[in-house]
Amino acid sequence: RREILRCALIFCPLWFAANALFNASLSATSVASNTILSSTSCIWALLLSKVLLNQDVMRWHKLVAVCMTVGGSSLIAFSDNSSDGGHTLTGDALALLSAFFYGAYTTTIKWILPSESRYYMDMLFGFVGIINVVFMWPGLLVLDATGLEPFRLPSLQVLWSLALNALIGTNLSDVMWAKSVVLTSPLVATLGLSLSTPIAMI
């Protein structure tokens, strides 16, 4: 449990930054661009896997997969640049920064919790939730006071949508993803998420 708590304490700020930047980029670029540019996290997963985990990630098939992902991301970025100037460039930059934090927290899980059989991923995300509730909520007051993000209580309909998204879109998907990171590798799990790109473009 101490190892899981330690992992959660390191993981939480990285996870929070990645998700906050990802969601912020949605307001400044298209969903397809956001999804594809976020997939450049495979570069950071590749580099950090080599540095932190000392994994043999420089095999040709892995490098080809990373290059294909980055190539598609670059095409989308240039397309956005030509179509809508600085507005989408801001969103693209936020998505790319989110990708870095994603690569960092993906590798952190494998680095601290190398064996899936010894640890419980649902407990990890339980600790992450507790840390968010205890330490992250004062940020709402700062955002409200500065006017960057005025705080309003959501309607019942919006609250149900948020709860459903938290359960399926965040909790369930993150637990399954975290297990895949530990069972395979940060790079394989990250590349696997690129399958969400065709769905985002529909």
Side-chain angles (χ1 to χ4, degrees), residues 18-82:
N19 282 284
L21 291 167
F22 179 87
N23 288 316
S25 72
L26 283 172
S27 64
T29 191
S30 67
V31 174
S33 296
N34 173 279
T35 302
I36 294 171
L37 289 171
S38 295
S39 70
T40 58
S41 57
C42 61
I43 298 173
W44 302 109
L46 180 79
L47 295 174
L48 292 171
S49 292
K50 182 66 177 176
V51 173
L52 294 177
L53 307 175
N54 199 28
Q55 289 184 341
D56 183 17
V57 292
M58 300 302 177
R59 296 186 178 181
W60 69 269
H61 59 281
K62 292 181 180 180
L63 293 174
V64 167
V66 169
C67 288
M68 290 178 67
T69 303
V70 174
S73 300
S74 301
L75 291 174
I76 292 297
F78 287 127
S79 172
D80 273 354
N81 186 25
S82 61

Side-chain angles (χ1 to χ4, degrees), residues 117-140:
S117 61
R118 293 177 53 196
Y119 305 106
Y120 298 99
M121 292 304 156
D122 49 354
M123 185 180 292
L124 170 66
F125 283 96
F127 279 132
V128 168
I130 291 171
I131 292 168
N132 275 324
V133 168
V134 173
F135 295 107
M136 300 297 185
W137 72 266
L140 290 174

Side-chain angles (χ1 to χ4, degrees), residues 96-162:
L96 287 170
L97 193 55
S98 169
F100 166 75
F101 283 107
Y102 171 86
Y105 79 69
T106 301
T107 312
T108 297
I109 289 181
K110 183 75 171 181
W111 181 42
I112 299 177
L113 307 177
S115 173
E116 194 272 340
S117 61
R118 293 177 53 196
Y119 305 106
Y120 298 99
M121 292 304 156
D122 49 354
M123 185 180 292
L124 170 66
F125 283 96
F127 279 132
V128 168
I130 291 171
I131 292 168
N132 275 324
V133 168
V134 173
F135 295 107
M136 300 297 185
W137 72 266
L140 290 174
L141 301 178
V142 175
L143 292 173
D144 185 57
T146 57
L148 291 174
E149 187 77 32
F151 178 74
R152 294 182 183 88
L153 289 174
S155 65
L156 189 60
Q157 182 180 2
V158 171
L159 191 62
W160 277 110
S161 298
L162 290 172

Side-chain angles (χ1 to χ4, degrees), residues 88-99:
T88 56
L89 279 178
T90 301
D92 290 347
L94 291 172
L96 287 170
L97 193 55
S98 169

